[in-house]
Amino acid sequence: MTLTLAVLIAVQAQAWQVTVDSLAKSGQFSGVVLVAQGGVPQFERAYGMADREAGRPNTLETSFNLGSINKLFTGIAIRQLAAAGKLEIDSSLARAWPDYPNPDVARRVTIRQILEHRSGIQGNIFAAPPGKTRHDVVTLQDYFDLFKNEPLQFEPGSRQQYSNAGYIVLGLVIEKLSGENYYEYVRRHIYEAAGMTQTGSWRIDRWPANTALGYTRGGQDAAPDAPLQRNTDFLPGKGSSAGGGYSTAHDLLRLVNALRERKIPAGPPAGVGIAGGAPGLNAAVEGDLPGGYDVIVLANLDPPAAERIARLIRTALAR
């Protein structure tokens, strides 16, 4: 690295620090910011509290809820199975899952359409089973039971509409075609390949010790001075193939580096731009930005706590 570039990075980092410090001080950010260049951290810092009641601060090794970023892993797993000849991306869901409970849906929808949110499969995966609570939703089948009888919301391929339910279906396809539990499949075929040792989906209240609890003001449209409360009641019993797993900033950098080095079979290029968010959690990963930068921001507050900072840094780096 030349002296001029080193000075430039230091100046930029100082500017980010001032802004993030201000947001953290005003209660608008709590989490971890990591900026790497060439796969090596150049700026990394933790802010705020992982557990406000216990007075436990966030650290660089704190695990945060990723929200929908888990969909990236599900998509990779589907493409790995396609590469292995176990499914065809453009074939019908019925071919991959012959006894799908709704034969009409399975016949009309393709795997690619589900991947691209163009299938018409919809359903509320954030509901609770009849007579139970959200914490009783633990397996992919538990999620599937919440919407499996729902009709298609539109003709497959006719438009794009974000579908968490579709990614639950993909998770179950992975289980059926691989013969493995979904969580075990992604651990063995993706996390291990990337060297991600602090990433996974855990039962609620059975998280690793250094896990950030989520705090919400009631959603991203809530007043900035609304009181914070734990988001535990909003969480399912366990994350899914649609989202809700946990990871650290360093593990996510390992992921981007592994994609860059093509260590993950069927993985996309390292230039990913992905985010996840829900009450009390927000995460953003942007890889291979101009100049060879990677930006990872994790937060245990409502969106857009992390995405706002990632966007700020990306804009600064582009100058």
Side-chain angles (χ1 to χ4, degrees), residues 42 107 130 141 160 174 176 187 208 211 216 231 243 281 314:
Q42 301 294 333
R107 177 181 55 81
Q141 186 64 45
Q160 187 174 53
I174 291 164
K176 292 175 183 299
R187 183 188 67 79
T211 298
T216 179
N231 71 346
L281 63 102
R314 182 182 68 244

Side-chain angles (χ1 to χ4, degrees), residues 160-240:
Q160 187 174 53
Q161 183 172 318
Y162 195 81
S163 176
N164 285 301
Y167 271 72
I168 298 297
V169 171
L170 291 178
L172 287 166
V173 167
I174 291 164
E175 291 192 340
K176 292 175 183 299
L177 296 183
S178 71
E180 296 184 60
N181 174 276
Y182 169 81
Y183 307 98
E184 180 65 14
Y185 182 95
V186 295
R187 183 188 67 79
R188 292 203 317 112
H189 297 271
I190 300 174
Y191 303 157
E192 286 187 0
M196 301 167 72
T197 60
Q198 305 299 316
T199 302
S201 296
W202 297 288
R203 291 287 297 270
I204 194 166
D205 293 334
R206 298 182 192 175
W207 303 300
N210 193 7
T211 298
L213 303 179
Y215 292 88
T216 179
R217 288 187 165 88
Q220 62 187 70
D221 296 326
D225 58 349
L228 287 168
Q229 59 178 326
R230 285 192 182 188
N231 71 346
T232 312
D233 289 345
F234 300 102
L235 297 177
K238 187 174 181 177
S240 71

Side-chain angles (χ1 to χ4, degrees), residues 5-313:
L5 181 56
V7 171
L8 177 60
I9 291 173
V11 171
Q12 290 172 329
Q14 186 179 33
W16 308 331
Q17 180 180 343
V18 170
T19 302
V20 179
D21 282 351
S22 176
L23 290 169
K25 186 175 181 179
S26 66
Q28 298 180 67
F29 182 69
S30 171
V32 170
V33 177
L34 188 157
V35 180
Q37 187 182 40
V40 179
Q42 301 294 333
F43 178 92
E44 52 184 347
R45 188 159 300 174
Y47 302 82
M49 306 302 292
D51 185 334
R52 292 169 181 259
E53 292 76 19
R56 176 168 57 86
N58 286 317
T59 74
L60 294 177
E61 297 304 328
T62 297
S63 296
F64 290 82
N65 194 315
L66 300 179
S68 285
I69 287 178
N70 287 92
K71 290 184 176 69
L72 173 67
F73 308 134
T74 301
I76 292 172
I78 286 289
R79 290 181 171 87
Q80 287 178 345
L81 292 171
K86 295 187 177 182
L87 67 79
E88 293 182 10
I89 297 290
D90 289 306
S91 67
S92 68
L93 174 59
R95 185 169 178 180
W97 188 343
D99 58 348
Y100 189 84
N102 189 324
D104 179 63
V105 169
R107 177 181 55 81
R108 295 166 59 193
V109 168
T110 69
I111 299 297
R112 186 183 300 277
Q113 287 169 341
I114 304 175
L115 281 169
E116 296 178 352
H117 301 276
R118 296 187 298 112
S119 69
I121 295 175
Q122 294 292 325
N124 183 11
I125 72 166
F126 303 106
K132 297 183 179 180
T133 72
R134 287 283 291 141
H135 295 178
D136 293 307
V137 181
V138 175
T139 67
L140 296 190
Q141 186 64 45
D142 292 336
Y143 284 95
F144 185 58
D145 287 343
L146 296 172
F147 67 86
K148 64 184 180 183
N149 295 319
E150 293 289 326
L152 291 173
Q153 298 300 300
F154 54 85
E155 181 63 28
S158 65
R159 70 174 192 259
Q160 187 174 53
Q161 183 172 318
Y162 195 81
S163 176
N164 285 301
Y167 271 72
I168 298 297
V169 171
L170 291 178
L172 287 166
V173 167
I174 291 164
E175 291 192 340
K176 292 175 183 299
L177 296 183
S178 71
E180 296 184 60
N181 174 276
Y182 169 81
Y183 307 98
E184 180 65 14
Y185 182 95
V186 295
R187 183 188 67 79
R188 292 203 317 112
H189 297 271
I190 300 174
Y191 303 157
E192 286 187 0
M196 301 167 72
T197 60
Q198 305 299 316
T199 302
S201 296
W202 297 288
R203 291 287 297 270
I204 194 166
D205 293 334
R206 298 182 192 175
W207 303 300
N210 193 7
T211 298
L213 303 179
Y215 292 88
T216 179
R217 288 187 165 88
Q220 62 187 70
D221 296 326
D225 58 349
L228 287 168
Q229 59 178 326
R230 285 192 182 188
N231 71 346
T232 312
D233 289 345
F234 300 102
L235 297 177
K238 187 174 181 177
S240 71
S241 49
Y246 290 78
S247 190
T248 66
H250 285 155
D251 256 15
L252 291 170
L253 180 59
R254 293 183 184 104
L255 170 68
V256 174
N257 282 334
L259 292 175
R260 189 158 28 235
E261 297 164 13
R262 308 304 296 174
K263 290 183 177 179
I264 301 175
V272 294
I274 49 177
L281 63 102
N282 196 205
V285 177
E286 300 198 39
D288 261 3
L289 294 172
Y293 289 102
D294 306 311
V295 177
I296 297 166
V297 187
L298 305 175
N300 57 332
L301 293 176
D302 295 325
E307 292 171 87
R308 172 172 46 205
I309 290 174
R311 184 167 55 248
L312 168 77
I313 295 173

